[in-house]
Amino acid sequence: MRAGTYVAESAVTFEQHARTWLGRQLQHEPGTAETAERRLRLDAYDAFGHKPLQRITKGDVQDMVAALARRGLAPATIALSFVYVRAVFNAALDERLIVVSPCKGVRLPKADHKLIAPMTVEQVMTVGERAPAHLRRAAVFAAGTGMRPGEWRSITLDRVKPGKVHLDRQLAPGTSASKVVWGPLKTKASYRWVSLSPSIEKVLLEQIEMGTRGPEGLVFSGLRGAPLRRQQLQYAWDKATAGMDLPDRSGWHDLRHFHASLLIAQGASPRAVADRLGHKDPSETLATYSHLWPSDEGRIWAAVEGVFGLSDGPETDQPR
């Protein structure tokens, strides 16, 4: 007590405190709040949700991480669950419900940082041909704009202008066939105008002319005009890409990667690609796609030889 490290005995469980913590997160957007609640409920509550905060040890948290790994969850998903668990314990620490956080020193599985291998033109065209009729133009539009799935499936008529589309909102959890709930985009940089090439604008106008719009003028919708759900899109994607030997967990987001690779192949700068995709800055773009940019080694070699190269000097092999 004299040192200021004493905490009173408490029977508050992890789940009780986690639910309190969730209710206090005013900065959480609807999608983020839903993700936090789901990860805590599915991954942490079963592990030690019933235990008092003061009785949970580092071993308990490490056991949770190991159990999630055995379930086959991706390292990134495990890391996300751990972030929320750690935030709950940090809040308990601030409120003097525990002396030390049991998350300190917990080891997480190493993330497998695989380089993105963009789809080929033939694969993209195949998806457009195999997709359900109401999603064929969506596949072409997604590949031709680089929009996130949550962005293009939220486009409404009033956001479509000649040669461009305005992105300033997206469908939020709670949206149903009879009710549309709008939420913010992923990041501040996601708010943007996306220009359309003539062929992609034609695809969008053809989609609009079909007349099967969803509530509030949604351009892309399900068979019965209801807003497109992620589960519906994933099911359609899996059917359309069957036998194409795509990486595990592929999805409509791969068309965004294809669009980025297309821009890079045509010589677009990191700044231009970042603005097109709605990235915060070029560093985010380079972190994902740097391996796709052509090497500058040939130009570096030419520049050096232009200064130091001697016409009658010894022959050297050009760097590969």
Side-chain angles (χ1 to χ4, degrees):
M1 291 178 69
R2 186 173 297 170
T5 58
Y6 171 80
V7 296
E9 187 74 19
S10 172
V12 176
T13 66
F14 177 86
E15 183 174 349
Q16 289 172 337
H17 190 65
R19 293 186 183 281
T20 300
W21 175 81
L22 283 168
R24 291 172 175 171
Q25 303 311 300
L26 300 179
Q27 75 276 19
H28 278 181
E29 298 174 355
T32 304
E34 182 186 30
T35 300
E37 190 280 330
R38 184 172 65 252
R39 294 267 59 92
L40 288 170
R41 172 169 45 83
L42 296 178
D43 303 337
Y45 292 170
D46 285 344
F48 42 69
H50 62 288
K51 296 183 68 173
L53 286 166
Q54 297 177 354
R55 301 289 180 86
I56 300 172
T57 67
K58 173 185 172 182
D60 292 328
V61 181
Q62 191 68 68
D63 287 344
M64 180 201 75
V65 170
L68 298 182
R70 287 194 297 271
R71 277 168 45 189
L73 269 65
T77 303
I78 297 175
L80 182 62
S81 295
F82 177 77
V83 165
Y84 292 128
V85 168
R86 184 175 58 190
V88 172
F89 279 117
N90 285 344
L93 196 62
D94 291 340
E95 296 177 30
R96 303 188 60 76
L97 294 175
I98 55 177
V99 177
V100 64
S101 171
C103 292
K104 187 176 182 179
V106 170
R107 301 182 63 181
L108 300 178
K110 292 183 178 180
D112 186 11
H113 296 291
K114 293 182 179 179
L115 297 179
I116 289 174
M119 298 174 68
T120 65
V121 174
E122 292 74 16
Q123 288 174 327
V124 172
M125 294 304 177
T126 300
V127 171
E129 294 169 359
R130 290 183 181 178
H134 66 288
L135 289 176
R136 287 173 187 167
R137 292 186 181 86
V140 176
F141 184 80
T145 61
M147 293 183 189
R148 300 177 179 90
E151 294 173 344
W152 61 256
R153 71 187 179 98
S154 303
I155 295 174
T156 52
L157 280 174
D158 57 340
R159 264 59 176 177
V160 178
K161 306 299 179 184
K164 57 186 178 181
V165 173
H166 190 209
L167 299 179
D168 64 345
R169 61 183 182 177
Q170 65 179 347
L171 297 173
T175 294
S176 63
S178 58
K179 178 184 178 183
V180 173
V181 180
W182 296 109
L185 294 175
K186 184 177 181 181
T187 65
K188 291 181 179 179
S190 301
Y191 294 80
R192 65 197 189 281
W193 286 92
V194 177
S195 61
L196 308 176
S197 68
S199 60
I200 298 302
E201 183 178 22
K202 180 182 178 183
V203 169
L204 182 62
L205 293 178
E206 288 175 350
Q207 177 69 23
I208 293 173
E209 290 172 2
M210 287 177 59
T212 55
R213 290 183 291 277
E216 298 201 22
L218 285 169
V219 174
F220 297 101
S221 62
L223 283 172
R224 300 178 181 178
L228 287 167
R229 295 182 175 274
R230 294 177 182 176
Q231 296 88 338
Q232 295 172 325
L233 287 176
Q234 190 60 48
Y235 177 78
W237 178 267
D238 292 341
K239 294 268 290 184
T241 59
M244 290 175 61
D245 196 29
L246 294 179
D248 293 339
R249 297 187 176 90
S250 72
W252 290 83
H253 201 88
D254 285 37
L255 297 178
R256 176 174 167 85
H257 295 323
F258 168 81
H259 185 78
S261 70
L262 193 65
L263 300 183
I264 294 169
Q266 292 299 315
S269 68
R271 175 77 268 175
V273 178
D275 290 343
R276 178 73 171 178
L277 298 182
H279 284 169
K280 180 176 63 175
D281 52 48
S283 64
E284 181 181 352
T285 307
L286 289 169
T288 307
Y289 302 113
S290 61
H291 63 289
L292 299 180
W293 260 278
S295 171
D296 285 330
E297 189 168 359
R299 279 180 282 184
I300 293 172
W301 179 84
V304 173
E305 286 301 299
V307 175
F308 300 104
L310 301 175
S311 58
D312 57 349
E315 293 185 0
T316 57
D317 293 333
Q318 178 176 345
R320 294 180 180 178

